Structure formats: structure tokens, C-alpha cells
Amino acid sequence: MASAKSSRSRASVPSGLVTTTGLYQAANGAAGQESGVQLADKLKIFKTDKFDPDAYVQSKCQTMNEKEIRHLCSYLQDLKKASAEEMRRSVYANYAAFIRTSKEISDLERELLSIRNLLSTQAALIHGLAEGVHIDSLSPGSECSAEDDVSNVEDREPTDIEIWSAEFPDMLDVLLAERRVDEALDALDESERIAAEAKQKQTLSAAQLLSLQTAISDHRQKLADQLAEAACQSSTHGVELRAAASALKRLGDGPRAHSLLLNAHNQRLQYNMQTIHPTSTSYGGAYTVALSQQVFSAIAQAVRDSLEVFGNESAYASELVRWCIKQAEAFAHLVKRHALASSAAAGGLRAAAECVQIAIGHCSLLEVHGLSLSSVLLKLFRPSVEQALDANLKRIEESTAALAAADDWVLMFPPSGTRISSRTSAATVGVQPKLSSSAHHFNSMVQDFFEDVGPLLAMQLGGSTMDGLLKVFSSYISLLINALPGSMEDEANLEGSGNKIVRIAETEAQQLALLANASLLAEELLPRTAMKLSSMYLAGGVDDSRRRTPDRNNRIPEQREWKRKLQRSVDRLRDSFCRQHALDLIFTEDGDTHLSAEMYISMDGNVEEPEWAPSPIFQELYAKLNRMASIAADMFIGRERFATLLMMRLTETVILWLSEDQSFWEDIEEGPRPLGPLGLQQFYLDMQFVMLFGQGRFLSRHVHQVVIDIIERAMAAFSVSGMNPDSVLPSDDWFVDIAQEVISRISGKARLVNGDRELNSPTASVSAQSLSSVRSHGST
């Protein structure tokens, strides 16, 4: 064996040196012989990584002409042929030595196999002894037979399975080196089968079987590490990535394969996202589009790859969902930081809504794979959107307050260029609303607000949106209350109104304009605009557990309650209006009262008969109501009911004050001077006057009953003196005549029958019935 090796060396080395030296000398035109050391030094230039053949040829041929170059090329071609012939001769010259060496190697492999079998037998013997197996053949009498068995094992030819078991590791090494993954997997599976069969049939010794199993395990681990390394490469994706993951799963390492698959997609996503940068000039939409495309495309591809390789196994599906949620959360944080944050802080609701809509739109594409991440995004986006909502509502409030400071409280049609809500019905487009300037601005901003908030319905922000708008409307109502004369001090503690400066509504027309603003906004404009949100409920935009049945006007219970809250804000303005006007009627500028018990008690001390007419305060009340009703007829077109209720509320405020004034009734019922006949007659006339001018227009049924109760109480106080009230009071016609005369004078309407009242009129008949009832109760 040694001789073969030496002969092969002697045969190959000189030939190789001669051939290489000849090539080098021919290429450079050398004539002399070079030593081995000198040749190696000259060949170093060809072995460097930075060797440039073109530059080398240019340096050598720079001074040569065309003929010389042609000659050199021909010489090199001849040299190439000579080199090939020399190599062929060298191979044939050493072929016998190669055959002889191969035979010696085969003999050596047989010797090594015999040694391995011997070692395996010894290992099995030791293993049997360790397990307590008694081997009788090791007794002194059987030593010769044992030696014979060992010699038999050494001398026998190895079986096919023993040969395969010995060659198996080398075969796998070759497959792994050549990256033949499928063949390596098949070989491993086959080896597992053969090992199991050998163990069952005992065709391999224990040591051989252990060696085979160790080789299988080691090469499985090598292949797994090789596949994992390939999966981690940034250039591996698509089919190659799925193949690597599938091979790892086939090796029994599915969890690792799935994690590597997801990590590969994550690395690729992070690399692609490096090219996406937010710009200061962009509102965030372009950045959100680019980021959404990258993130959700990567998630979709990861889902497809996972399903293709691993199917719907629960363990892998759970890890996939967690990974997708993590990617969605990271995406949401980036959008919030670079797009939503600035929009939300500035109150840019439309920009914020567009960013959310873009993200949700891309996210919804994953639903075809059975993956819904919209709820994750909505939960993370909600705080930023709520911040934008609050900032937008705050902007509406502050802008409206600034305009209210300069509002002249004159109703007018919308300024030219002001758009009408898209939900305004065709019947109302022709009759455009008349509002003051601040109310028009408020209405326009609210319409824009609802259009901006439309894309956010999926976030179930309808409730907070409506509550926020209700708060803004309440703040505007507080501004209107502060615009009433004398209300600044009275309403200083109202929410949001303590530090607002508004222009005072001096005239009754201006004050009624405040109410016209509030009523039209609360009853028509805001509810009509807010109907845009009802589509969320009617179209199933919320969970079934939150859906409500709409009424005949397509309003759900939440909207009906919201409209009632709007109306309560208007009622607050109406009550302030009525209270302020009632106080103006009852009290003087010095704080004295126009309506006191003394004005009735003192009448019986006068010598002269009074000139009968309703008291000035009640005449002024009717005059005020009459003027306001005339103004309201032009302001509240189509909303006459509101104007009627307003007049009734003003009358009610005065009458209830009279009914509940304890000092008034203490003087009437318990004062040092009793109520006399003339005082009772004047009081009766005043109440009759109120019932007559208020019947059907300014007096509700409740207040009508309160007036009757007041009359009965005054008559009861008079009866304490022992006199019958009916005996001192004129007939009912007398009171009606005087009251009608004053009503005609104040209203400017002539009496119907020659200056006399129409006895068959509904007003006269109802009043007469009421008076008869009161007088009968008083007499009783």
C-alpha cells in the first residue's frame, strides 16, 4: 500500500510540474528553465482574488502590433492543445498506479470492516455482561470454542446490511454537501425503517445498531441546522422558504419550522419598511397607504405560507394569530406616532378618519383567509380618534363663541356659498332656515363634523360623538342665555359660560331670535344631520346586542333620547327668557314690586270709586305677549307650536310666582288689614282678564286651573271676615265686558257687536262657565 502511494506521487508530481512550467514559459516567451521556487513565485499573481485577466493582457500587449498579437494568439492555441495532450498522456501513464492503489484501498476497507465487526462483537459482549446476562461460553472449558467463534466472525464476509450500515453516514454526508434535501430526507426515512427492521430481526449487532441510530440522529440534526440556516437567509423566500419549512416539519421539528417561517417574513417586512419614511409635508395618508400595503401584504403571505405547509393545526394556527396580532399592533403604533398623533392634536378629524379608513380597508383583505384584525386596530386607534373628536368639537365651540361675541342676533337666510346638508329633505331645501350668523356657522360646522365622522362608524364612536355634540350645543345655549339682558350674573355658574363674552340681545326681537336659533337647531337641523349616524344601527354596524328597533321616523331609542336632551337645553334657554321677562314685569328697577298684596288691600281705604281696569302689571303682561306673538309669527314659521308654548310658559312664570309668593298670601290671609270688597273685586277682575286673553293662546290647562285656585283662595280669605264674596262681586258679564274692552284696546282689534262683546263667543262662554264655577265654590 505504501509502495502504491509513493509510485503515484512519483508519477504525478514531475508531469504536473513540467506541464505547468511549459505553459508559463510559452505565455511569456521565456527561453530558459525556471526553478520550482521561482515558478511558484511567478504564479502568485494568478492566484490572487483581485487578478484581472483583461488588465493583465493589456499590460503585456500594449506595445505589440496586430501581427504580433495574432501570432501570440496562434501560439497560445497551439500551447493549449499541447497542454491537453500532455495531461492525457499523464493520466494514461499513471492509470496502472491508480488501479493498483484503488485495489489496495478496497483491501484496506475490508480489513477495517473486519476490525469494526470484531469491535462490535466485543461491545455486544460487554453490553450483555452489563445487563446481567450469564454467558456460559466464557467458562474455562469453552475458551477454545469462543476463540473459534471470534475467528469465524473475523473470517466471514460482511452481510449487505452491514455494508450498507457502514456506508450510510458517508452517503448522507454527500447528500447534505450537495444540498439534495429531498433525497436526504428519503434516505433518513429509509434508514429509520431499516434500523427498526434490523432491531426486530437482529441482523445487526447491538453496537452496529447503536452506531446506525447515532448516525441517523446526527445527520437529522445536521440537516435541520442546514435548513434553519437557509431559512434565515434574507435571500430565501417564496418557494424556497416553504420548502425549507416543509422539510423541517418532515424531520419532526414542526414548531421550529413554523417559527423560522414567521421570522423570515418578519425580517423581510422590516427590510422593506426601511424605505418608508413619514414626511413633514404629508398629512399621513400617503404614509399609511405605503405602510399598510407592506404590513398586510406580508401578513397575508405569511398566512398563505403557513396554511400551505402546516394546514389548520391548532398549535400552528395559534402561533400564527399571535404573530399577526403583534405585527398589526406594531403597525398601529407606527401610524399613531407618524400620522394620527399630529392630526388628533390639531383636531384634524378628516385626516385621522382617512388614516383609519385606509388601515381598516387593507386589514379587511385578510378576512378571506379567516383572519380579522380590525378589532385590534380599532382598539389601538380609538384613543387618537377620540382625541381628534374632542379637539374638533372644541374647535366648533370656540369658533362659535368667537362669532357670538359679534352676533347682532338678527335672523337671516344662509350666506351665499353656504352648503346645505346632504340629508336635507327636498321639501325643506326650498325653505332655507333663518338663523343668526353664529347659529349658521354652528350648523355648518356640525354638518362638516358629521361628514368627517362618517368613516369612523365602525369604531362604535356614535355614542361619544353624540354626547360630545350635545355638550357643544349646551355650551352654545349657555352663550345664548348670557346674551339675555341681566342673565350674565344669574347664569354665571352655567357650564362653559362663565368666561364667555357675548353681545347682549337688547330688543324683544333679538331675544326671540335667540330662541329661534336654539329651537330650529334642536328640533330640525341637528337631528336631521345626526340621522347619518343611524345607518350604523339600521345597517347592522354594531353588534346585535346593541341594536335597537327604530321608530316610524327611523330614529333609534338612543337618538330619541339624544333629541330629548337637546330639547332640555332649549328649555333651559326658554326658562331663562321667561324668568327674566317675568322679573321685569313684577319688579321695578329699584327692586320694588308691581304685584303686591298692598295694591289690593289699600283699595278699600280710598273714598272715591276706582276706575275699573285690570292692574297695570297684567295689562303689560298681555301687551308683551301680544307683541312677542306678532314677532314670533314671522320667526317661527312651521314651528308655531314652539312659539305658543313659549308664550304659555311666560304667562305660567308670572302666575306661578303669584301663586307661590308667601309674603303676598300672608298679607292677604293673615295681615293686619283684611282684603275688602273693592280689593276682591280688583283681584277677581285681574284673574278674569288673564283667563280671557290667555284662553287658547297664552294659557295652558294647568295654569288655567292655577288661576281658578288663586281666585278661590282669595275668596276664601275674604270670607273670613264673615261676608259672602258673591254678595259684593258684580255679575260675570261685568268682568268680561271690562276685560274685553282692554283686550281690544291693547290688541288693536275692534269689538265684534257695536262695541259689545259677542256673547256667544267660545271665549265668553268658557270664561263665564269658569267664573260661575269659581263664584259658586267661593260662596260655599
Side-chain angles (χ1 to χ4, degrees):
M1 186 171 66
S3 62
K5 179 177 179 181
S6 61
S7 64
R8 182 177 59 187
S9 300
R10 286 193 299 270
S12 60
V13 172
S15 176
L17 284 174
V18 171
T19 303
T20 307
T21 304
L23 286 170
Y24 180 78
Q25 289 174 345
N28 291 278
Q33 297 292 325
E34 299 287 347
S35 65
V37 176
Q38 293 174 337
L39 179 61
D41 292 339
K42 292 182 178 181
L43 290 177
K44 286 182 179 179
I45 187 173
F46 299 103
K47 297 180 180 179
T48 60
D49 295 332
K50 297 182 179 179
F51 175 71
D52 188 356
D54 294 332
Y56 180 81
V57 171
Q58 287 292 336
S59 65
K60 296 297 181 181
C61 302
Q62 196 168 12
T63 59
M64 300 175 65
N65 56 31
E66 181 179 356
K67 183 177 181 180
E68 291 173 338
I69 293 175
R70 290 182 179 275
H71 185 268
L72 178 60
C73 290
S74 177
Y75 182 77
L76 290 175
Q77 290 290 337
D78 294 340
L79 189 61
K80 181 179 178 181
K81 294 178 181 178
S83 175
E85 181 65 20
E86 178 66 23
M87 181 172 291
R88 185 180 63 82
R89 291 175 182 175
S90 177
V91 170
Y92 286 142
N94 295 289
Y95 191 75
F98 174 78
I99 296 298
R100 185 171 60 254
T101 303
S102 299
K103 185 176 180 181
E104 291 176 356
I105 292 174
S106 298
D107 296 337
L108 180 60
E109 287 176 348
R110 265 194 232 89
E111 293 173 3
L112 291 174
L113 183 59
S114 298
I115 295 173
R116 181 180 296 175
N117 292 336
L118 178 61
L119 292 175
S120 299
T121 303
Q122 293 175 348
L125 180 61
I126 294 172
H127 183 68
L129 290 173
E131 293 180 347
V133 178
H134 299 285
I135 304 176
D136 298 333
S137 62
L138 294 180
S139 61
S142 61
E143 290 180 357
C144 294
S145 61
E147 291 176 357
D148 294 339
D149 293 339
V150 171
S151 63
N152 291 335
V153 171
E154 292 178 352
D155 294 339
R156 74 177 176 85
E157 289 292 328
T159 63
D160 292 340
I161 191 172
E162 289 175 341
I163 296 174
W164 178 88
S165 176
E167 296 175 350
F168 173 71
D170 296 334
M171 178 189 67
L172 273 182
D173 286 336
V174 172
L175 293 177
L176 293 182
E178 295 179 357
R179 305 279 179 174
R180 294 154 65 181
V181 176
D182 291 336
E183 295 181 39
L185 288 171
D186 293 338
L188 287 171
D189 291 342
E190 180 66 15
S191 66
E192 292 281 2
R193 186 190 64 77
I194 293 175
E197 183 177 346
K199 182 177 181 181
Q200 181 181 5
K201 297 181 179 180
Q202 297 183 350
T203 55
L204 290 176
S205 65
Q208 288 173 329
L209 184 60
L210 179 63
S211 176
L212 177 60
Q213 291 174 340
T214 302
I216 293 173
S217 177
D218 290 345
H219 284 84
R220 276 188 176 276
Q221 187 61 42
K222 285 182 181 179
L223 180 57
D225 294 341
Q226 188 181 93
L227 292 170
E229 182 181 0
C232 293
Q233 298 296 325
S234 59
S235 59
T236 303
H237 56 86
V239 177
E240 296 177 354
L241 179 61
R242 291 191 294 273
S246 181
L248 269 175
K249 181 187 176 186
R250 185 175 169 184
L251 283 172
D253 203 356
R256 183 186 184 190
H258 195 255
S259 298
L260 288 172
L261 176 71
L262 297 181
N263 289 336
H265 281 288
N266 182 61
Q267 291 177 2
R268 186 169 182 82
L269 173 61
Q270 298 303 320
Y271 176 79
N272 291 336
M273 287 172 57
Q274 292 177 2
T275 60
I276 304 174
H277 302 288
T279 59
S280 58
T281 59
S282 175
Y283 64 90
Y287 173 78
T288 306
V289 168
L291 196 64
S292 297
Q293 289 175 344
Q294 289 292 343
V295 171
F296 293 110
S297 296
I299 293 177
Q301 187 60 50
V303 172
R304 285 193 293 268
D305 290 350
S306 177
L307 292 176
E308 181 177 341
V309 177
F310 301 95
N312 291 319
E313 296 184 38
S314 58
Y316 303 126
S318 299
E319 183 183 14
L320 176 64
V321 170
R322 288 194 298 270
W323 182 84
C324 293
I325 291 175
K326 182 179 178 181
Q327 301 303 321
E329 290 175 344
F331 161 77
H333 287 305
L334 287 174
V335 173
K336 286 175 61 178
R337 183 190 310 164
H338 299 299
L340 280 181
S342 57
S343 299
L349 185 59
R350 182 169 297 179
E354 184 172 349
C355 290
V356 173
Q357 194 174 24
I358 290 170
I360 298 300
H362 283 87
C363 180
S364 63
L365 298 177
L366 299 175
E367 295 179 1
V368 297
H369 302 291
L371 184 65
S372 178
L373 299 176
S374 299
S375 59
V376 177
L377 297 183
L378 293 177
K379 180 180 178 181
L380 294 173
F381 288 152
R382 188 182 182 96
S384 297
V385 174
E386 286 180 339
Q387 182 183 4
L389 278 173
D390 293 340
N392 210 52
L393 290 170
K394 188 68 175 178
R395 180 173 59 85
I396 295 176
E397 179 180 350
E398 292 177 349
S399 179
T400 305
L403 287 175
D407 200 333
D408 57 4
W409 309 120
V410 175
L411 300 183
M412 59 182 178
F413 291 112
S416 58
T418 302
R419 60 176 193 76
I420 305 299
S421 171
S422 59
R423 295 300 297 266
T424 302
S425 62
T428 58
V429 169
V431 183
Q432 297 185 14
K434 292 182 67 175
L435 299 168
S436 68
S437 59
S438 63
H440 275 303
H441 183 74
F442 180 85
N443 180 47
S444 177
M445 294 186 72
V446 167
Q447 290 186 38
D448 292 337
F449 172 78
F450 272 106
E451 289 190 1
D452 293 344
V453 83
L456 304 177
L457 296 181
M459 301 186 72
Q460 298 179 359
L461 290 172
S464 58
T465 300
M466 302 298 281
D467 291 342
L469 185 60
L470 183 65
K471 182 179 178 181
V472 173
F473 179 71
S474 179
S475 177
Y476 182 61
I477 292 297
S478 297
L479 289 174
L480 299 182
I481 291 174
N482 286 339
L484 293 172
S487 295
M488 201 61 168
E489 294 79 9
D490 296 337
E491 305 293 340
N493 295 324
L494 287 174
E495 180 182 1
S497 64
N499 58 350
K500 300 295 176 61
I501 300 175
V502 295
R503 187 170 182 175
I504 301 299
E506 300 288 351
T507 65
E508 291 177 348
Q510 290 176 323
Q511 294 163 22
L512 286 172
L514 303 177
L515 289 158
N517 284 339
S519 64
L520 186 58
L521 287 170
E523 293 181 4
E524 295 185 21
L525 300 180
L526 296 184
R528 186 185 303 131
T529 307
M531 281 294 291
K532 295 177 182 179
L533 288 181
S534 65
S535 59
M536 175 178 62
Y537 300 93
L538 300 178
V542 298
D543 297 337
D544 290 340
S545 59
R546 297 185 57 196
R547 296 191 65 179
R548 301 291 186 270
T549 302
D551 61 11
R552 60 183 180 181
N553 294 321
N554 280 341
R555 289 195 302 264
I556 58 173
E558 288 83 356
Q559 287 185 322
R560 294 196 295 269
E561 177 61 25
W562 183 73
K563 187 173 181 179
R564 282 192 289 268
K565 290 179 180 179
L566 290 176
Q567 190 57 52
R568 283 197 285 272
S569 295
V570 177
D571 291 344
R572 189 159 55 90
L573 172 62
R574 183 201 61 191
D575 293 343
S576 297
F577 173 87
C578 295
R579 182 171 59 253
Q580 188 62 40
H581 281 275
L583 292 175
D584 291 342
L585 287 170
I586 296 171
F587 295 98
T588 64
E589 294 181 358
D590 299 330
D592 296 333
T593 178
H594 292 296
L595 184 58
S596 64
E598 181 65 24
M599 58 184 283
Y600 297 108
I601 296 173
S602 62
M603 291 185 65
D604 287 278
N606 295 330
V607 178
E608 297 181 359
E609 178 78 11
E611 186 176 341
W612 294 106
S615 299
I617 181 175
F618 295 106
Q619 293 190 44
E620 178 58 29
L621 172 61
Y622 174 62
K624 182 181 289 290
L625 292 171
N626 204 50
R627 289 195 307 272
M628 289 183 176
S630 178
I631 298 173
D634 296 329
M635 288 188 177
F636 296 89
I637 299 175
R639 291 173 292 121
E640 291 79 5
R641 175 175 170 76
F642 180 86
T644 300
L645 293 176
L646 175 64
M647 302 303 127
M648 288 183 176
R649 181 58 178 168
L650 178 55
T651 306
E652 178 182 359
T653 304
V654 176
I655 298 302
L656 289 181
W657 186 91
L658 175 61
S659 174
E660 297 170 0
D661 187 7
Q662 295 299 324
S663 61
F664 179 89
W665 291 106
E666 286 177 0
D667 291 341
I668 292 291
E669 298 171 339
E670 303 175 4
R673 291 180 297 167
L675 180 64
L678 296 180
L680 177 61
Q681 188 173 343
Q682 181 64 51
F683 188 83
Y684 196 92
L685 175 60
D686 290 341
M687 295 302 102
Q688 173 65 11
F689 178 67
V690 171
M691 286 193 294
L692 284 174
F693 75 67
Q695 193 70 44
R697 292 185 63 195
F698 307 131
L699 204 64
S700 64
R701 292 182 180 180
H702 169 67
V703 179
H704 185 273
Q705 184 60 46
V706 171
V707 173
I708 293 176
D709 294 340
I710 290 174
I711 295 174
E712 290 180 350
R713 187 172 181 180
M715 294 176 68
F718 179 79
S719 300
V720 174
S721 63
M723 298 179 63
N724 184 359
D726 198 38
S727 63
V728 300
L729 293 176
S731 64
D732 293 339
D733 292 341
W734 183 84
F735 291 104
V736 172
D737 282 338
I738 295 176
Q740 286 284 12
E741 184 69 30
V742 176
I743 290 173
S744 299
R745 176 173 52 82
I746 294 176
S747 64
K749 297 179 181 179
R751 299 184 65 174
L752 298 178
V753 183
N754 298 325
D756 295 328
R757 64 181 176 88
E758 185 178 12
L759 297 178
N760 295 326
S761 67
T763 301
S765 60
V766 172
S767 300
Q769 293 174 7
S770 300
L771 290 174
S772 299
S773 176
V774 171
R775 295 181 70 164
S776 62
H777 282 290
S779 301
T780 302

